[in-house]
């Protein structure tokens, strides 16, 4: 696959419709559970998979640089830090230690306190740099602040924890009333927490004072899956288990657009969507395995069908005319420039 062209013009509907798979990595033995591009070294992509592997790719040269196995702890979510050789990932194995008691069939569930739910891993030498202790159940959302050494995590234990990657104990705690989805904006000044049909906006410097804004998301009462800011910070993207994709004005909280795809029916699957680099288009997975694309202003642009029956993960590569999808394989989508009448890019 040739390297994806860098964006030198506004992404158009015509270009988006021409997107097709230019390369696929099919050597996974399980579904991809998480993906992340580095914010600055944008050709680096890291994935986590149900086969308990973490893989590092150079998308510009279309090669898998490294595969690291995490058989003991498992891996569910993964994201880059500010350093492209360090990744943060959440454990998957060992949350529920179940044992029978008495003579009946009741199960006693034990969760270890101060569980090492998050790990900082050096990709250079496959070494754990730090363990982060605090969550008492699975971590379901992570967001790293690219401008600082901070990150936030949301867990099924109904807490959101704020961290400094240089310390193993959390720097702050927020209690929530549901499964939280979390995200920093690109500047790291604000973060958002979504659950229960609302988005709560926090000032990262004084989060302990509570949210400075609370946005209601229509009549949404479905479980929040993914929340993201556009690169300019003006828009927020929120997906839910019921198959809804919301675009919200991050300053005023009003709805800009809302789309419907097939709901997510499997327990551990996530409905993920992603902004294009200019924030004017959205790609999204769907509960029937297909991929959708929309123009935020005018609506649906394209749909690519699939024989899969679980939603693929989707990520747009920062600054590139490429997005990736992750299911039981990793696919890189690029425009077919031969189908476009006039198109100029800078290499």
């Amino acid at each position: 696959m040739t390297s994806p062209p860098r964006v030198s013009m506004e992404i158009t509907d015509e270009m988006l419709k021409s997107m097709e798979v230019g390369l696929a990595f099919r050597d996974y033995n399980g579904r991809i559970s998480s993906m992340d591009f580095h914010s600055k070294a944008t050709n680096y992509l890291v994935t986590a998979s149900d086969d308990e592997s973490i893989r590092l790719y150079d998308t510009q040269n279309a090669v898998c640089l490294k595969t690291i196995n995490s058989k003991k702890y498992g891996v569910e979510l993964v994201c880059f830090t500010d350093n492209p050789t360090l990744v943060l990932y959440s454990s998957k194995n060992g949350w529920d230690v179940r044992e029978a008691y008495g003579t009946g069939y009741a199960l006693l569930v034990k969760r270890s306190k101060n569980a090492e739910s998050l790990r900082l891993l050096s990709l250079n030498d496959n070494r754990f740099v730090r363990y982060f202790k605090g969550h008492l159940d699975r971590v379901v959302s992570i967001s790293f602040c690219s401008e600082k050494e901070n990150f936030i995590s949301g867990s099924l234990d109904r807490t959101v924890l704020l961290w400094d990657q240089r310390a193993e104990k959390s720097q702050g705690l927020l209690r929530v009333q549901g499964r939280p989805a979390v995200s920093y904006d690109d500047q790291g000044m604000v973060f958002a927490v979504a659950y229960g049909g609302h988005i709560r906006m926090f000032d990262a410097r004084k989060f302990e004072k509570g949210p400075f804004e609370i946005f209601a998301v229509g009549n949404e009462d479905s479980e929040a899956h993914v929340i993201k800011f556009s690169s300019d910070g003006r828009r927020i993207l929120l997906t839910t288990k019921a198959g809804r994709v919301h675009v919200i004005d991050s300053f005023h909280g009003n709805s800009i657009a809302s789309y419907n795809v097939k709901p997510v029916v499997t327990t551990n699957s996530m409905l993920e969507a992603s902004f294009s680099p200019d924030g004017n288009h959205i790609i999204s997975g769907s509960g029937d395995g297909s991929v959708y694309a929309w123009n935020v202003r005018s609506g649906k642009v394209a749909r690519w069908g699939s024989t899969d029956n679980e939603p693929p993960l989707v990520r747009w590569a920062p600054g590139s005319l490429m997005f990736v999808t992750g299911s039981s394989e990793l696919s890189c989508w690029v425009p077919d420039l031969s189908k476009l009448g006039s198109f100029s890019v800078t290499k």
Side-chain angles (χ1 to χ4, degrees):
M1 183 182 80
T2 57
S3 60
R6 304 296 291 180
V7 174
S8 63
M9 60 175 290
E10 183 180 3
I11 295 167
T12 65
D13 294 0
E14 182 187 14
M15 183 278 294
L16 200 50
K17 289 177 183 177
S18 79
M19 300 288 274
E20 58 185 29
V21 176
L23 177 73
F25 295 90
R26 298 187 171 92
D27 55 340
Y28 285 88
N29 294 314
R31 290 189 69 84
I32 296 170
S33 57
S34 182
M35 306 187 297
D36 190 38
F37 279 100
H38 195 268
S39 60
K40 297 181 178 68
T42 55
N43 57 309
Y44 283 154
L45 172 72
V46 65
T47 68
S49 169
D50 289 346
D51 63 12
E52 300 178 328
S53 70
I54 296 171
R55 306 187 191 201
L56 176 67
Y57 294 89
D58 180 345
T59 57
Q60 185 171 345
N61 295 301
V63 61
C64 180
L65 299 174
K66 185 164 291 190
T67 300
I68 294 175
N69 293 312
S70 179
K71 298 296 183 182
K72 181 177 180 180
Y73 304 111
V75 55
E76 187 160 17
L77 302 179
V78 66
C79 70
F80 280 111
T81 67
D82 56 335
N83 183 336
T85 67
L86 292 176
V87 296
L88 178 72
Y89 80 91
S90 67
S91 307
K92 187 176 183 180
N93 298 341
W95 277 114
D96 290 345
V97 180
R98 298 172 182 266
E99 59 183 32
Y101 71 94
T103 56
Y105 294 97
L107 293 177
L108 174 65
V109 179
K110 292 184 178 179
R111 291 191 175 96
S112 60
K113 292 186 177 181
N114 295 321
E116 295 166 348
S117 50
L118 295 160
R119 292 173 167 79
L120 190 64
L121 175 69
S122 169
L123 298 175
N124 280 342
D125 51 9
N126 190 15
R127 174 178 58 88
F128 289 124
V129 177
R130 190 159 292 109
Y131 303 91
F132 302 98
K133 302 177 182 180
H135 284 303
L136 303 180
D137 206 336
R138 278 178 48 229
V139 174
V140 293
S141 187
I142 302 174
S143 180
F144 195 88
C145 176
S146 59
E147 297 301 312
K148 303 172 185 175
E149 293 184 288
N150 299 333
F151 65 93
I152 49 178
S153 57
S155 168
L156 294 181
D157 65 11
R158 297 195 168 194
T159 65
V160 172
L161 296 182
L162 290 83
W163 308 85
D164 183 320
Q165 76 170 57
R166 297 163 295 187
E168 71 171 28
K169 293 185 178 180
S170 65
Q171 309 298 297
L173 179 150
L174 300 170
R175 298 195 182 277
V176 299
Q177 301 301 314
R179 174 192 174 120
V182 299
S183 181
Y184 270 110
D185 74 339
D186 269 15
Q187 286 70 45
M189 303 296 288
V190 171
F191 65 86
V193 179
Y195 64 91
H198 292 79
I199 297 173
R200 290 157 174 84
M201 307 287 288
F202 292 84
D203 184 328
R205 297 162 298 182
K206 44 188 177 183
F207 64 88
E208 66 279 356
K209 294 185 177 181
F212 63 84
E213 290 279 10
I214 300 178
F215 302 143
V217 188
N219 297 317
E220 185 65 77
D221 57 0
S222 178
E223 183 179 274
H225 274 187
V226 169
I227 188 169
K228 296 177 183 177
F229 285 87
S230 59
S231 58
D232 63 8
R234 294 179 176 275
R235 293 169 175 170
I236 295 173
L237 188 59
L238 175 67
T239 68
T240 70
K241 185 177 182 179
R244 287 187 281 271
V245 181
H246 301 283
V247 185
I248 297 138
D249 184 298
S250 63
F251 292 101
H252 304 102
N254 56 294
S255 175
I256 297 173
S258 185
Y259 314 108
N260 292 311
V261 297
K262 292 290 185 182
V264 178
V265 294
T266 49
T267 304
N268 291 324
S269 292
M270 293 279 285
L271 181 65
E272 189 173 65
S274 181
F275 280 113
S276 62
D278 60 12
N280 292 326
H281 290 84
I282 291 168
I283 51 170
S284 173
S286 173
D288 61 3
S290 57
V291 177
Y292 283 81
W294 295 279
N295 182 314
V296 173
R297 299 188 185 99
S298 61
K300 183 179 172 182
V301 172
R303 176 184 176 271
W304 298 273
S306 172
T307 56
D308 206 341
N309 58 0
E310 292 188 44
L313 301 181
V314 294
R315 275 301 166 95
W316 203 295
S320 291
L321 298 180
M322 180 183 77
F323 67 82
V324 296
T325 57
S327 52
S328 55
E329 59 186 50
L330 176 67
S331 301
C332 303
W333 297 68
V334 292
D336 182 350
L337 301 185
S338 67
K339 294 179 181 178
L340 304 179
S342 59
F343 195 83
S344 62
V345 295
T346 56
K347 300 292 185 179

